[in-house]
Amino acid sequence: MRLQLTIEYDGTAFRGWAAQPGMRTVEGSVRDALDKIFPRWESLAVAGRTDSGVHALANVASVDVAGGPAGARVAEALNASLPGDVAVLEAHPAARDFHARFSARSRSYRYRIWRRRLRSAFERRRSWWVSRPLDVTALNGSAMLLVGEHDFRGFTPTETQHDVFVRVVESAQWVQEGDVLAFEITADSFLRHMVRTLVGTMIDGIDVGALLDGARRDAAGQTAPPWGLYLVGVSYDPTGAEPPSQRREKPGEGRR
């Protein structure tokens, strides 16, 4: 049976999603939990391969399992075996051709900036502390330029595994909520560090519109720290099937 898992995690103590020898990773923790509750499992895939320190409110994984608990009890069984900073929110059967990464139509991210003049102990690994004044109107003007199809190679490291740099952004905006200013963006997929570099570039006051046609990385601004970034959700077609024309890249796709 193929399962679709919705997973949340606090990325602070993890070296990202992808399993790495000798490193504490989200994938490693999920693999350990699967080993404990299923006699056999294989083909674990994830929609967003988040980097070290990045959080997720609703990442999505797919996995083939045999035996183990009944569908309604899978989430509870996995959570009993997972560490406290990872939790399965939902687990349900999926179509045989569902793939967490390749079936995804879009992914949504949020980047949180803490704007209070004094730092917060509680926000230290939940947001980026920027105490200087920010022009929210100008930031939203920059965000509007991102919507549509653009070449984002200027917003990913020069040394990259990506072959295709064009992405389609469905929406992008800055939202003020009390002491938090959040950048929210939805796109078909993302380049590595793309969201964080977009945020850093806008905060640096650099014109992102001039960089959306294949600019060099050194023309953009800083890469914002990872702890302010959250994978908010992943959207799929109602059938969950893999789109026949879905862009496929090397394993690095999806890391922010």
PDB file of all heavy atoms in Angstrom, residues 34-70:
ATOM      1  N   LEU A  34       9.664   4.269  10.519  1.00  0.00           N
ATOM      2  CA  LEU A  34       9.094   3.286   9.593  1.00  0.00           C
ATOM      3  C   LEU A  34       9.647   1.888   9.876  1.00  0.00           C
ATOM      4  O   LEU A  34       8.907   0.888   9.826  1.00  0.00           O
ATOM      5  CB  LEU A  34       9.399   3.695   8.153  1.00  0.00           C
ATOM      6  CG  LEU A  34       8.655   4.927   7.619  1.00  0.00           C
ATOM      7  CD1 LEU A  34       9.261   5.377   6.285  1.00  0.00           C
ATOM      8  CD2 LEU A  34       7.164   4.645   7.444  1.00  0.00           C
ATOM      9  N   ASP A  35      10.927   1.812  10.179  1.00  0.00           N
ATOM     10  CA  ASP A  35      11.544   0.512  10.501  1.00  0.00           C
ATOM     11  C   ASP A  35      10.865  -0.145  11.699  1.00  0.00           C
ATOM     12  O   ASP A  35      10.758  -1.379  11.762  1.00  0.00           O
ATOM     13  CB  ASP A  35      13.034   0.691  10.801  1.00  0.00           C
ATOM     14  CG  ASP A  35      13.872   0.895   9.551  1.00  0.00           C
ATOM     15  OD1 ASP A  35      13.397   0.532   8.450  1.00  0.00           O
ATOM     16  OD2 ASP A  35      15.000   1.419   9.672  1.00  0.00           O
ATOM     17  N   LYS A  36      10.430   0.671  12.644  1.00  0.00           N
ATOM     18  CA  LYS A  36       9.875   0.138  13.888  1.00  0.00           C
ATOM     19  C   LYS A  36       8.442  -0.363  13.741  1.00  0.00           C
ATOM     20  O   LYS A  36       8.023  -1.246  14.494  1.00  0.00           O
ATOM     21  CB  LYS A  36       9.933   1.203  14.984  1.00  0.00           C
ATOM     22  CG  LYS A  36      11.357   1.535  15.428  1.00  0.00           C
ATOM     23  CD  LYS A  36      11.371   2.680  16.428  1.00  0.00           C
ATOM     24  CE  LYS A  36      12.801   3.017  16.832  1.00  0.00           C
ATOM     25  NZ  LYS A  36      12.855   4.195  17.747  1.00  0.00           N
ATOM     26  N   ILE A  37       7.685   0.199  12.794  1.00  0.00           N
ATOM     27  CA  ILE A  37       6.261  -0.167  12.761  1.00  0.00           C
ATOM     28  C   ILE A  37       5.836  -0.956  11.520  1.00  0.00           C
ATOM     29  O   ILE A  37       4.736  -1.498  11.496  1.00  0.00           O
ATOM     30  CB  ILE A  37       5.367   1.069  12.925  1.00  0.00           C
ATOM     31  CG1 ILE A  37       5.437   1.968  11.709  1.00  0.00           C
ATOM     32  CG2 ILE A  37       5.725   1.838  14.182  1.00  0.00           C
ATOM     33  CD1 ILE A  37       4.380   3.061  11.723  1.00  0.00           C
ATOM     34  N   PHE A  38       6.702  -1.018  10.490  1.00  0.00           N
ATOM     35  CA  PHE A  38       6.338  -1.777   9.295  1.00  0.00           C
ATOM     36  C   PHE A  38       7.356  -2.883   9.038  1.00  0.00           C
ATOM     37  O   PHE A  38       8.566  -2.623   9.021  1.00  0.00           O
ATOM     38  CB  PHE A  38       6.257  -0.861   8.070  1.00  0.00           C
ATOM     39  CG  PHE A  38       5.102   0.098   8.094  1.00  0.00           C
ATOM     40  CD1 PHE A  38       5.317   1.452   8.334  1.00  0.00           C
ATOM     41  CD2 PHE A  38       3.799  -0.342   7.895  1.00  0.00           C
ATOM     42  CE1 PHE A  38       4.259   2.345   8.366  1.00  0.00           C
ATOM     43  CE2 PHE A  38       2.736   0.537   7.930  1.00  0.00           C
ATOM     44  CZ  PHE A  38       2.961   1.880   8.172  1.00  0.00           C
ATOM     45  N   PRO A  39       6.889  -4.100   8.793  1.00  0.00           N
ATOM     46  CA  PRO A  39       7.822  -5.184   8.454  1.00  0.00           C
ATOM     47  C   PRO A  39       8.623  -4.887   7.194  1.00  0.00           C
ATOM     48  O   PRO A  39       9.800  -5.233   7.101  1.00  0.00           O
ATOM     49  CB  PRO A  39       6.899  -6.397   8.249  1.00  0.00           C
ATOM     50  CG  PRO A  39       5.649  -6.069   8.990  1.00  0.00           C
ATOM     51  CD  PRO A  39       5.497  -4.585   8.876  1.00  0.00           C
ATOM     52  N   ARG A  40       7.968  -4.234   6.228  1.00  0.00           N
ATOM     53  CA  ARG A  40       8.647  -3.859   4.986  1.00  0.00           C
ATOM     54  C   ARG A  40       8.143  -2.491   4.526  1.00  0.00           C
ATOM     55  O   ARG A  40       6.954  -2.192   4.642  1.00  0.00           O
ATOM     56  CB  ARG A  40       8.389  -4.880   3.866  1.00  0.00           C
ATOM     57  CG  ARG A  40       8.861  -6.282   4.166  1.00  0.00           C
ATOM     58  CD  ARG A  40       8.874  -7.151   2.906  1.00  0.00           C
ATOM     59  NE  ARG A  40       7.669  -7.038   2.098  1.00  0.00           N
ATOM     60  CZ  ARG A  40       6.546  -7.696   2.335  1.00  0.00           C
ATOM     61  NH1 ARG A  40       6.471  -8.513   3.369  1.00  0.00           N
ATOM     62  NH2 ARG A  40       5.502  -7.556   1.541  1.00  0.00           N
ATOM     63  N   TRP A  41       9.062  -1.704   4.014  1.00  0.00           N
ATOM     64  CA  TRP A  41       8.682  -0.439   3.400  1.00  0.00           C
ATOM     65  C   TRP A  41       9.766  -0.048   2.398  1.00  0.00           C
ATOM     66  O   TRP A  41      10.909  -0.504   2.487  1.00  0.00           O
ATOM     67  CB  TRP A  41       8.482   0.665   4.446  1.00  0.00           C
ATOM     68  CG  TRP A  41       9.736   1.065   5.185  1.00  0.00           C
ATOM     69  CD1 TRP A  41      10.196   0.548   6.349  1.00  0.00           C
ATOM     70  CD2 TRP A  41      10.689   2.044   4.762  1.00  0.00           C
ATOM     71  NE1 TRP A  41      11.383   1.136   6.712  1.00  0.00           N
ATOM     72  CE2 TRP A  41      11.709   2.064   5.751  1.00  0.00           C
ATOM     73  CE3 TRP A  41      10.785   2.907   3.678  1.00  0.00           C
ATOM     74  CZ2 TRP A  41      12.814   2.917   5.662  1.00  0.00           C
ATOM     75  CZ3 TRP A  41      11.881   3.752   3.587  1.00  0.00           C
ATOM     76  CH2 TRP A  41      12.867   3.751   4.581  1.00  0.00           C
ATOM     77  N   GLU A  42       9.388   0.818   1.425  1.00  0.00           N
ATOM     78  CA  GLU A  42      10.355   1.257   0.424  1.00  0.00           C
ATOM     79  C   GLU A  42       9.843   2.516  -0.262  1.00  0.00           C
ATOM     80  O   GLU A  42       8.710   2.947  -0.047  1.00  0.00           O
ATOM     81  CB  GLU A  42      10.590   0.164  -0.625  1.00  0.00           C
ATOM     82  CG  GLU A  42       9.358  -0.196  -1.425  1.00  0.00           C
ATOM     83  CD  GLU A  42       9.607  -1.334  -2.408  1.00  0.00           C
ATOM     84  OE1 GLU A  42      10.604  -2.041  -2.234  1.00  0.00           O
ATOM     85  OE2 GLU A  42       8.793  -1.483  -3.340  1.00  0.00           O
ATOM     86  N   SER A  43      10.699   3.108  -1.077  1.00  0.00           N
ATOM     87  CA  SER A  43      10.341   4.238  -1.959  1.00  0.00           C
ATOM     88  C   SER A  43       9.853   5.465  -1.191  1.00  0.00           C
ATOM     89  O   SER A  43       8.866   6.111  -1.581  1.00  0.00           O
ATOM     90  CB  SER A  43       9.284   3.805  -2.982  1.00  0.00           C
ATOM     91  OG  SER A  43       9.738   2.698  -3.735  1.00  0.00           O
ATOM     92  N   LEU A  44      10.555   5.832  -0.124  1.00  0.00           N
ATOM     93  CA  LEU A  44      10.213   7.055   0.600  1.00  0.00           C
ATOM     94  C   LEU A  44      10.621   8.269  -0.244  1.00  0.00           C
ATOM     95  O   LEU A  44      11.762   8.383  -0.684  1.00  0.00           O
ATOM     96  CB  LEU A  44      10.944   7.096   1.953  1.00  0.00           C
ATOM     97  CG  LEU A  44      10.737   8.360   2.799  1.00  0.00           C
ATOM     98  CD1 LEU A  44       9.274   8.513   3.211  1.00  0.00           C
ATOM     99  CD2 LEU A  44      11.638   8.322   4.034  1.00  0.00           C
ATOM    100  N   ALA A  45       9.682   9.172  -0.487  1.00  0.00           N
ATOM    101  CA  ALA A  45       9.931  10.396  -1.252  1.00  0.00           C
ATOM    102  C   ALA A  45       9.292  11.563  -0.520  1.00  0.00           C
ATOM    103  O   ALA A  45       8.352  11.379   0.257  1.00  0.00           O
ATOM    104  CB  ALA A  45       9.365  10.275  -2.664  1.00  0.00           C
ATOM    105  N   VAL A  46       9.775  12.778  -0.787  1.00  0.00           N
ATOM    106  CA  VAL A  46       9.263  13.949  -0.080  1.00  0.00           C
ATOM    107  C   VAL A  46       9.091  15.099  -1.064  1.00  0.00           C
ATOM    108  O   VAL A  46       9.826  15.208  -2.058  1.00  0.00           O
ATOM    109  CB  VAL A  46      10.208  14.349   1.070  1.00  0.00           C
ATOM    110  CG1 VAL A  46      11.506  14.944   0.537  1.00  0.00           C
ATOM    111  CG2 VAL A  46       9.532  15.307   2.042  1.00  0.00           C
ATOM    112  N   ALA A  47       8.115  15.958  -0.791  1.00  0.00           N
ATOM    113  CA  ALA A  47       7.847  17.088  -1.678  1.00  0.00           C
ATOM    114  C   ALA A  47       8.903  18.172  -1.553  1.00  0.00           C
ATOM    115  O   ALA A  47       9.298  18.789  -2.538  1.00  0.00           O
ATOM    116  CB  ALA A  47       6.469  17.672  -1.371  1.00  0.00           C
ATOM    117  N   GLY A  48       9.383  18.445  -0.329  1.00  0.00           N
ATOM    118  CA  GLY A  48      10.346  19.518  -0.102  1.00  0.00           C
ATOM    119  C   GLY A  48      11.547  19.046   0.690  1.00  0.00           C
ATOM    120  O   GLY A  48      11.417  18.717   1.868  1.00  0.00           O
ATOM    121  N   ARG A  49      12.724  19.028   0.047  1.00  0.00           N
ATOM    122  CA  ARG A  49      13.962  18.618   0.723  1.00  0.00           C
ATOM    123  C   ARG A  49      14.555  19.847   1.425  1.00  0.00           C
ATOM    124  O   ARG A  49      15.492  20.467   0.934  1.00  0.00           O
ATOM    125  CB  ARG A  49      14.947  18.024  -0.282  1.00  0.00           C
ATOM    126  CG  ARG A  49      14.531  16.658  -0.816  1.00  0.00           C
ATOM    127  CD  ARG A  49      15.296  16.313  -2.086  1.00  0.00           C
ATOM    128  NE  ARG A  49      16.746  16.468  -1.953  1.00  0.00           N
ATOM    129  CZ  ARG A  49      17.584  15.503  -1.574  1.00  0.00           C
ATOM    130  NH1 ARG A  49      17.117  14.308  -1.273  1.00  0.00           N
ATOM    131  NH2 ARG A  49      18.877  15.725  -1.499  1.00  0.00           N
ATOM    132  N   THR A  50      13.995  20.184   2.571  1.00  0.00           N
ATOM    133  CA  THR A  50      14.387  21.392   3.280  1.00  0.00           C
ATOM    134  C   THR A  50      15.815  21.309   3.803  1.00  0.00           C
ATOM    135  O   THR A  50      16.316  20.234   4.121  1.00  0.00           O
ATOM    136  CB  THR A  50      13.425  21.657   4.448  1.00  0.00           C
ATOM    137  OG1 THR A  50      13.315  20.470   5.240  1.00  0.00           O
ATOM    138  CG2 THR A  50      12.053  22.049   3.939  1.00  0.00           C
ATOM    139  N   ASP A  51      16.469  22.472   3.918  1.00  0.00           N
ATOM    140  CA  ASP A  51      17.846  22.566   4.378  1.00  0.00           C
ATOM    141  C   ASP A  51      17.925  22.621   5.896  1.00  0.00           C
ATOM    142  O   ASP A  51      16.908  22.727   6.586  1.00  0.00           O
ATOM    143  CB  ASP A  51      18.513  23.812   3.791  1.00  0.00           C
ATOM    144  CG  ASP A  51      19.045  23.591   2.387  1.00  0.00           C
ATOM    145  OD1 ASP A  51      19.361  22.437   2.044  1.00  0.00           O
ATOM    146  OD2 ASP A  51      19.145  24.574   1.624  1.00  0.00           O
ATOM    147  N   SER A  52      19.151  22.619   6.404  1.00  0.00           N
ATOM    148  CA  SER A  52      19.393  22.699   7.847  1.00  0.00           C
ATOM    149  C   SER A  52      18.702  23.917   8.439  1.00  0.00           C
ATOM    150  O   SER A  52      18.807  25.025   7.905  1.00  0.00           O
ATOM    151  CB  SER A  52      20.898  22.795   8.126  1.00  0.00           C
ATOM    152  OG  SER A  52      21.575  21.646   7.682  1.00  0.00           O
ATOM    153  N   GLY A  53      17.974  23.699   9.538  1.00  0.00           N
ATOM    154  CA  GLY A  53      17.341  24.806  10.246  1.00  0.00           C
ATOM    155  C   GLY A  53      15.998  25.237   9.726  1.00  0.00           C
ATOM    156  O   GLY A  53      15.301  26.018  10.382  1.00  0.00           O
ATOM    157  N   VAL A  54      15.592  24.753   8.548  1.00  0.00           N
ATOM    158  CA  VAL A  54      14.311  25.134   7.956  1.00  0.00           C
ATOM    159  C   VAL A  54      13.199  24.284   8.562  1.00  0.00           C
ATOM    160  O   VAL A  54      13.362  23.079   8.770  1.00  0.00           O
ATOM    161  CB  VAL A  54      14.342  24.982   6.426  1.00  0.00           C
ATOM    162  CG1 VAL A  54      12.975  25.284   5.816  1.00  0.00           C
ATOM    163  CG2 VAL A  54      15.407  25.889   5.828  1.00  0.00           C
ATOM    164  N   HIS A  55      12.058  24.900   8.821  1.00  0.00           N
ATOM    165  CA  HIS A  55      10.923  24.227   9.450  1.00  0.00           C
ATOM    166  C   HIS A  55       9.874  23.818   8.410  1.00  0.00           C
ATOM    167  O   HIS A  55       9.892  24.292   7.272  1.00  0.00           O
ATOM    168  CB  HIS A  55      10.272  25.155  10.476  1.00  0.00           C
ATOM    169  CG  HIS A  55      11.241  25.860  11.365  1.00  0.00           C
ATOM    170  ND1 HIS A  55      12.008  25.215  12.300  1.00  0.00           N
ATOM    171  CD2 HIS A  55      11.592  27.180  11.438  1.00  0.00           C
ATOM    172  CE1 HIS A  55      12.779  26.088  12.933  1.00  0.00           C
ATOM    173  NE2 HIS A  55      12.550  27.285  12.424  1.00  0.00           N
ATOM    174  N   ALA A  56       8.952  22.970   8.828  1.00  0.00           N
ATOM    175  CA  ALA A  56       7.839  22.584   7.958  1.00  0.00           C
ATOM    176  C   ALA A  56       6.557  22.503   8.771  1.00  0.00           C
ATOM    177  O   ALA A  56       6.544  21.902   9.851  1.00  0.00           O
ATOM    178  CB  ALA A  56       8.105  21.249   7.279  1.00  0.00           C
ATOM    179  N   LEU A  57       5.506  23.116   8.249  1.00  0.00           N
ATOM    180  CA  LEU A  57       4.186  22.996   8.847  1.00  0.00           C
ATOM    181  C   LEU A  57       3.396  21.873   8.198  1.00  0.00           C
ATOM    182  O   LEU A  57       2.501  21.301   8.825  1.00  0.00           O
ATOM    183  CB  LEU A  57       3.417  24.315   8.710  1.00  0.00           C
ATOM    184  CG  LEU A  57       4.078  25.557   9.318  1.00  0.00           C
ATOM    185  CD1 LEU A  57       3.183  26.773   9.130  1.00  0.00           C
ATOM    186  CD2 LEU A  57       4.395  25.335  10.784  1.00  0.00           C
ATOM    187  N   ALA A  58       3.718  21.568   6.934  1.00  0.00           N
ATOM    188  CA  ALA A  58       2.972  20.519   6.232  1.00  0.00           C
ATOM    189  C   ALA A  58       3.769  20.049   5.019  1.00  0.00           C
ATOM    190  O   ALA A  58       3.353  20.256   3.876  1.00  0.00           O
ATOM    191  CB  ALA A  58       1.594  21.010   5.820  1.00  0.00           C
ATOM    192  N   ASN A  59       4.914  19.422   5.268  1.00  0.00           N
ATOM    193  CA  ASN A  59       5.623  18.761   4.183  1.00  0.00           C
ATOM    194  C   ASN A  59       4.874  17.464   3.869  1.00  0.00           C
ATOM    195  O   ASN A  59       4.104  16.965   4.705  1.00  0.00           O
ATOM    196  CB  ASN A  59       7.068  18.466   4.598  1.00  0.00           C
ATOM    197  CG  ASN A  59       8.012  18.366   3.421  1.00  0.00           C
ATOM    198  OD1 ASN A  59       7.591  18.232   2.277  1.00  0.00           O
ATOM    199  ND2 ASN A  59       9.313  18.418   3.691  1.00  0.00           N
ATOM    200  N   VAL A  60       5.085  16.926   2.692  1.00  0.00           N
ATOM    201  CA  VAL A  60       4.360  15.718   2.280  1.00  0.00           C
ATOM    202  C   VAL A  60       5.351  14.656   1.830  1.00  0.00           C
ATOM    203  O   VAL A  60       6.276  14.944   1.063  1.00  0.00           O
ATOM    204  CB  VAL A  60       3.360  16.014   1.152  1.00  0.00           C
ATOM    205  CG1 VAL A  60       2.689  14.730   0.659  1.00  0.00           C
ATOM    206  CG2 VAL A  60       2.300  17.000   1.636  1.00  0.00           C
ATOM    207  N   ALA A  61       5.143  13.427   2.308  1.00  0.00           N
ATOM    208  CA  ALA A  61       5.981  12.296   1.909  1.00  0.00           C
ATOM    209  C   ALA A  61       5.093  11.189   1.375  1.00  0.00           C
ATOM    210  O   ALA A  61       3.909  11.074   1.734  1.00  0.00           O
ATOM    211  CB  ALA A  61       6.799  11.781   3.090  1.00  0.00           C
ATOM    212  N   SER A  62       5.649  10.367   0.501  1.00  0.00           N
ATOM    213  CA  SER A  62       4.973   9.155   0.037  1.00  0.00           C
ATOM    214  C   SER A  62       5.880   7.973   0.315  1.00  0.00           C
ATOM    215  O   SER A  62       7.113   8.096   0.256  1.00  0.00           O
ATOM    216  CB  SER A  62       4.632   9.244  -1.452  1.00  0.00           C
ATOM    217  OG  SER A  62       5.778   9.548  -2.228  1.00  0.00           O
ATOM    218  N   VAL A  63       5.287   6.828   0.631  1.00  0.00           N
ATOM    219  CA  VAL A  63       6.067   5.640   0.948  1.00  0.00           C
ATOM    220  C   VAL A  63       5.209   4.399   0.718  1.00  0.00           C
ATOM    221  O   VAL A  63       3.991   4.425   0.927  1.00  0.00           O
ATOM    222  CB  VAL A  63       6.564   5.694   2.421  1.00  0.00           C
ATOM    223  CG1 VAL A  63       5.398   5.709   3.401  1.00  0.00           C
ATOM    224  CG2 VAL A  63       7.517   4.553   2.723  1.00  0.00           C
ATOM    225  N   ASP A  64       5.821   3.317   0.244  1.00  0.00           N
ATOM    226  CA  ASP A  64       5.139   2.040   0.071  1.00  0.00           C
ATOM    227  C   ASP A  64       5.403   1.174   1.295  1.00  0.00           C
ATOM    228  O   ASP A  64       6.566   1.007   1.704  1.00  0.00           O
ATOM    229  CB  ASP A  64       5.640   1.329  -1.182  1.00  0.00           C
ATOM    230  CG  ASP A  64       5.277   2.064  -2.459  1.00  0.00           C
ATOM    231  OD1 ASP A  64       4.294   2.831  -2.437  1.00  0.00           O
ATOM    232  OD2 ASP A  64       5.980   1.895  -3.474  1.00  0.00           O
ATOM    233  N   VAL A  65       4.338   0.627   1.883  1.00  0.00           N
ATOM    234  CA  VAL A  65       4.473  -0.153   3.113  1.00  0.00           C
ATOM    235  C   VAL A  65       3.747  -1.484   2.973  1.00  0.00           C
ATOM    236  O   VAL A  65       2.835  -1.643   2.155  1.00  0.00           O
ATOM    237  CB  VAL A  65       3.913   0.613   4.333  1.00  0.00           C
ATOM    238  CG1 VAL A  65       4.649   1.929   4.512  1.00  0.00           C
ATOM    239  CG2 VAL A  65       2.412   0.847   4.187  1.00  0.00           C
ATOM    240  N   ALA A  66       4.165  -2.436   3.795  1.00  0.00           N
ATOM    241  CA  ALA A  66       3.487  -3.730   3.873  1.00  0.00           C
ATOM    242  C   ALA A  66       3.357  -4.106   5.342  1.00  0.00           C
ATOM    243  O   ALA A  66       4.296  -3.917   6.127  1.00  0.00           O
ATOM    244  CB  ALA A  66       4.272  -4.801   3.130  1.00  0.00           C
ATOM    245  N   GLY A  67       2.181  -4.628   5.721  1.00  0.00           N
ATOM    246  CA  GLY A  67       1.962  -4.986   7.114  1.00  0.00           C
ATOM    247  C   GLY A  67       1.797  -3.759   7.978  1.00  0.00           C
ATOM    248  O   GLY A  67       1.465  -2.678   7.500  1.00  0.00           O
ATOM    249  N   GLY A  68       2.023  -3.909   9.278  1.00  0.00           N
ATOM    250  CA  GLY A  68       1.949  -2.772  10.180  1.00  0.00           C
ATOM    251  C   GLY A  68       0.527  -2.434  10.578  1.00  0.00           C
ATOM    252  O   GLY A  68      -0.417  -3.177  10.295  1.00  0.00           O
ATOM    253  N   PRO A  69       0.322  -1.280  11.228  1.00  0.00           N
ATOM    254  CA  PRO A  69      -0.999  -0.896  11.725  1.00  0.00           C
ATOM    255  C   PRO A  69      -1.963  -0.544  10.603  1.00  0.00           C
ATOM    256  O   PRO A  69      -1.554  -0.256   9.481  1.00  0.00           O
ATOM    257  CB  PRO A  69      -0.694   0.323  12.600  1.00  0.00           C
ATOM    258  CG  PRO A  69       0.555   0.886  12.021  1.00  0.00           C
ATOM    259  CD  PRO A  69       1.358  -0.289  11.553  1.00  0.00           C
ATOM    260  N   ALA A  70      -3.241  -0.548  10.945  1.00  0.00           N
ATOM    261  CA  ALA A  70      -4.280  -0.164   9.992  1.00  0.00           C
ATOM    262  C   ALA A  70      -4.163   1.320   9.690  1.00  0.00           C
ATOM    263  O   ALA A  70      -3.585   2.092  10.459  1.00  0.00           O
ATOM    264  CB  ALA A  70      -5.659  -0.490  10.563  1.00  0.00           C
TER     265      ALA A  70
END
